[in-house]
Amino acid sequence: GGRVGIYEPIHGSAPDIAGQGIANPIATILSAAMMLKYAFGENEAAAAIESAVRAVLRDGYRTKDIAQYDAKEICSTAEIGSIIADYAAKA
């Protein structure tokens, strides 16, 4: 039979910070990795994304909400998304 999966981060839409570039996209990015792995069998792509997120955090990149955890550089939503994409492309 068919399988159904829902891949979404469990958080609200945060209308109070919309357009400010301070939302943390990591849960959304990891949800996409789960979708690639479990719905499409794209294990290598999922692993590259997951590895990239770990490496970005290891290297000290943070959004404002988690900056207190050893931030080397505080990034906007778009910046950290681009950094994660760059790391994933190199994986």
Side-chain angles (χ1 to χ4, degrees):
R3 293 173 41 186
V4 175
I6 298 174
Y7 307 96
E8 65 176 328
I10 304 301
H11 57 61
S13 61
D16 56 321
I17 61 170
Q20 296 179 39
I22 60 172
N24 185 334
I26 293 175
T28 302
I29 292 167
L30 290 174
S31 293
M34 289 176 64
M35 180 186 64
L36 287 168
K37 182 176 183 177
Y38 296 111
F40 300 111
E42 293 289 339
N43 296 330
E44 286 184 35
I49 293 168
E50 292 165 351
S51 177
V53 169
R54 280 191 299 275
V56 165
L57 293 173
R58 179 200 62 223
D59 290 349
Y61 296 100
R62 304 282 188 272
T63 48
K64 183 179 174 182
D65 62 314
I66 59 171
Q68 71 269 26
Y69 302 106
D70 301 321
K72 175 184 87 172
E73 182 176 334
I74 298 173
C75 304
S76 71
T77 304
E79 289 168 341
I80 202 156
S82 292
I83 293 166
I84 292 168
D86 289 345
Y87 275 57
K90 295 174 187 171

PDB file of all heavy atoms in Angstrom, residues 3 26 31 35 37 45 54 60-61 63 70 77 82:
ATOM      1  N   ARG A   3       2.160   4.966   1.222  1.00  0.00           N
ATOM      2  CA  ARG A   3       2.567   5.563   2.485  1.00  0.00           C
ATOM      3  C   ARG A   3       2.366   7.061   2.400  1.00  0.00           C
ATOM      4  O   ARG A   3       2.558   7.648   1.339  1.00  0.00           O
ATOM      5  CB  ARG A   3       4.030   5.260   2.774  1.00  0.00           C
ATOM      6  CG  ARG A   3       4.260   3.780   3.030  1.00  0.00           C
ATOM      7  CD  ARG A   3       5.709   3.412   3.159  1.00  0.00           C
ATOM      8  NE  ARG A   3       6.476   4.377   3.913  1.00  0.00           N
ATOM      9  CZ  ARG A   3       7.786   4.316   4.063  1.00  0.00           C
ATOM     10  NH1 ARG A   3       8.463   3.351   3.507  1.00  0.00           N
ATOM     11  NH2 ARG A   3       8.434   5.226   4.754  1.00  0.00           N
ATOM     12  N   ILE A  26      16.251  26.571  10.073  1.00  0.00           N
ATOM     13  CA  ILE A  26      16.885  25.254  10.163  1.00  0.00           C
ATOM     14  C   ILE A  26      15.870  24.125  10.291  1.00  0.00           C
ATOM     15  O   ILE A  26      16.017  23.084   9.642  1.00  0.00           O
ATOM     16  CB  ILE A  26      17.947  25.219  11.277  1.00  0.00           C
ATOM     17  CG1 ILE A  26      19.110  26.148  10.885  1.00  0.00           C
ATOM     18  CG2 ILE A  26      18.441  23.800  11.529  1.00  0.00           C
ATOM     19  CD1 ILE A  26      20.179  26.308  11.946  1.00  0.00           C
ATOM     20  N   SER A  31      13.301  19.526   7.767  1.00  0.00           N
ATOM     21  CA  SER A  31      12.053  18.877   7.348  1.00  0.00           C
ATOM     22  C   SER A  31      12.118  18.502   5.874  1.00  0.00           C
ATOM     23  O   SER A  31      11.654  17.428   5.474  1.00  0.00           O
ATOM     24  CB  SER A  31      10.849  19.797   7.600  1.00  0.00           C
ATOM     25  OG  SER A  31      10.650  19.982   8.976  1.00  0.00           O
ATOM     26  N   MET A  35      11.853  14.789   4.098  1.00  0.00           N
ATOM     27  CA  MET A  35      11.005  14.493   2.951  1.00  0.00           C
ATOM     28  C   MET A  35      11.811  13.804   1.845  1.00  0.00           C
ATOM     29  O   MET A  35      11.375  12.810   1.271  1.00  0.00           O
ATOM     30  CB  MET A  35      10.366  15.774   2.406  1.00  0.00           C
ATOM     31  CG  MET A  35       9.472  15.553   1.199  1.00  0.00           C
ATOM     32  SD  MET A  35       8.865  17.086   0.485  1.00  0.00           S
ATOM     33  CE  MET A  35      10.379  17.846  -0.081  1.00  0.00           C
ATOM     34  N   LYS A  37      14.483  12.051   2.141  1.00  0.00           N
ATOM     35  CA  LYS A  37      14.881  10.715   2.575  1.00  0.00           C
ATOM     36  C   LYS A  37      13.709   9.738   2.596  1.00  0.00           C
ATOM     37  O   LYS A  37      13.774   8.662   2.000  1.00  0.00           O
ATOM     38  CB  LYS A  37      15.516  10.806   3.961  1.00  0.00           C
ATOM     39  CG  LYS A  37      16.011   9.494   4.516  1.00  0.00           C
ATOM     40  CD  LYS A  37      16.699   9.708   5.848  1.00  0.00           C
ATOM     41  CE  LYS A  37      17.281   8.424   6.398  1.00  0.00           C
ATOM     42  NZ  LYS A  37      18.018   8.671   7.657  1.00  0.00           N
ATOM     43  N   ALA A  45      21.063  13.079  -0.938  1.00  0.00           N
ATOM     44  CA  ALA A  45      20.700  14.497  -0.843  1.00  0.00           C
ATOM     45  C   ALA A  45      20.328  14.853   0.591  1.00  0.00           C
ATOM     46  O   ALA A  45      20.757  15.893   1.107  1.00  0.00           O
ATOM     47  CB  ALA A  45      19.545  14.817  -1.790  1.00  0.00           C
ATOM     48  N   ARG A  54      24.745  20.427  10.364  1.00  0.00           N
ATOM     49  CA  ARG A  54      25.671  20.150  11.476  1.00  0.00           C
ATOM     50  C   ARG A  54      26.953  20.965  11.337  1.00  0.00           C
ATOM     51  O   ARG A  54      27.444  21.550  12.309  1.00  0.00           O
ATOM     52  CB  ARG A  54      26.010  18.658  11.544  1.00  0.00           C
ATOM     53  CG  ARG A  54      24.954  17.818  12.206  1.00  0.00           C
ATOM     54  CD  ARG A  54      25.444  16.400  12.499  1.00  0.00           C
ATOM     55  NE  ARG A  54      25.822  15.671  11.294  1.00  0.00           N
ATOM     56  CZ  ARG A  54      24.968  15.007  10.523  1.00  0.00           C
ATOM     57  NH1 ARG A  54      23.685  14.978  10.816  1.00  0.00           N
ATOM     58  NH2 ARG A  54      25.400  14.367   9.458  1.00  0.00           N
ATOM     59  N   GLY A  60      29.854  27.747  13.937  1.00  0.00           N
ATOM     60  CA  GLY A  60      29.469  28.922  14.705  1.00  0.00           C
ATOM     61  C   GLY A  60      28.489  29.876  14.057  1.00  0.00           C
ATOM     62  O   GLY A  60      28.262  30.968  14.578  1.00  0.00           O
ATOM     63  N   TYR A  61      27.890  29.493  12.947  1.00  0.00           N
ATOM     64  CA  TYR A  61      26.880  30.348  12.328  1.00  0.00           C
ATOM     65  C   TYR A  61      25.564  30.166  13.076  1.00  0.00           C
ATOM     66  O   TYR A  61      25.156  29.030  13.348  1.00  0.00           O
ATOM     67  CB  TYR A  61      26.695  30.003  10.851  1.00  0.00           C
ATOM     68  CG  TYR A  61      27.928  30.266  10.026  1.00  0.00           C
ATOM     69  CD1 TYR A  61      28.783  29.223   9.669  1.00  0.00           C
ATOM     70  CD2 TYR A  61      28.251  31.549   9.612  1.00  0.00           C
ATOM     71  CE1 TYR A  61      29.923  29.455   8.920  1.00  0.00           C
ATOM     72  CE2 TYR A  61      29.392  31.793   8.860  1.00  0.00           C
ATOM     73  CZ  TYR A  61      30.217  30.744   8.519  1.00  0.00           C
ATOM     74  OH  TYR A  61      31.339  30.983   7.768  1.00  0.00           O
ATOM     75  N   THR A  63      21.421  32.018  13.845  1.00  0.00           N
ATOM     76  CA  THR A  63      20.430  33.084  13.739  1.00  0.00           C
ATOM     77  C   THR A  63      20.312  33.696  15.129  1.00  0.00           C
ATOM     78  O   THR A  63      20.780  33.132  16.118  1.00  0.00           O
ATOM     79  CB  THR A  63      19.079  32.526  13.256  1.00  0.00           C
ATOM     80  OG1 THR A  63      18.755  31.372  14.019  1.00  0.00           O
ATOM     81  CG2 THR A  63      19.107  32.207  11.770  1.00  0.00           C
ATOM     82  N   ASP A  70      27.320  29.959  21.552  1.00  0.00           N
ATOM     83  CA  ASP A  70      28.634  29.988  20.895  1.00  0.00           C
ATOM     84  C   ASP A  70      28.615  30.519  19.469  1.00  0.00           C
ATOM     85  O   ASP A  70      29.265  29.946  18.580  1.00  0.00           O
ATOM     86  CB  ASP A  70      29.277  28.597  20.920  1.00  0.00           C
ATOM     87  CG  ASP A  70      29.464  28.068  22.341  1.00  0.00           C
ATOM     88  OD1 ASP A  70      29.820  28.869  23.223  1.00  0.00           O
ATOM     89  OD2 ASP A  70      29.241  26.862  22.563  1.00  0.00           O
ATOM     90  N   THR A  77      17.955  35.187   8.213  1.00  0.00           N
ATOM     91  CA  THR A  77      17.299  33.988   7.696  1.00  0.00           C
ATOM     92  C   THR A  77      17.907  33.593   6.347  1.00  0.00           C
ATOM     93  O   THR A  77      18.301  32.441   6.142  1.00  0.00           O
ATOM     94  CB  THR A  77      15.789  34.238   7.530  1.00  0.00           C
ATOM     95  OG1 THR A  77      15.254  34.659   8.785  1.00  0.00           O
ATOM     96  CG2 THR A  77      15.068  32.999   7.041  1.00  0.00           C
ATOM     97  N   SER A  82      21.536  30.363   2.849  1.00  0.00           N
ATOM     98  CA  SER A  82      22.544  30.323   1.774  1.00  0.00           C
ATOM     99  C   SER A  82      23.816  29.617   2.219  1.00  0.00           C
ATOM    100  O   SER A  82      24.416  28.862   1.436  1.00  0.00           O
ATOM    101  CB  SER A  82      22.882  31.745   1.317  1.00  0.00           C
ATOM    102  OG  SER A  82      21.780  32.322   0.665  1.00  0.00           O
TER     103      SER A  82
END
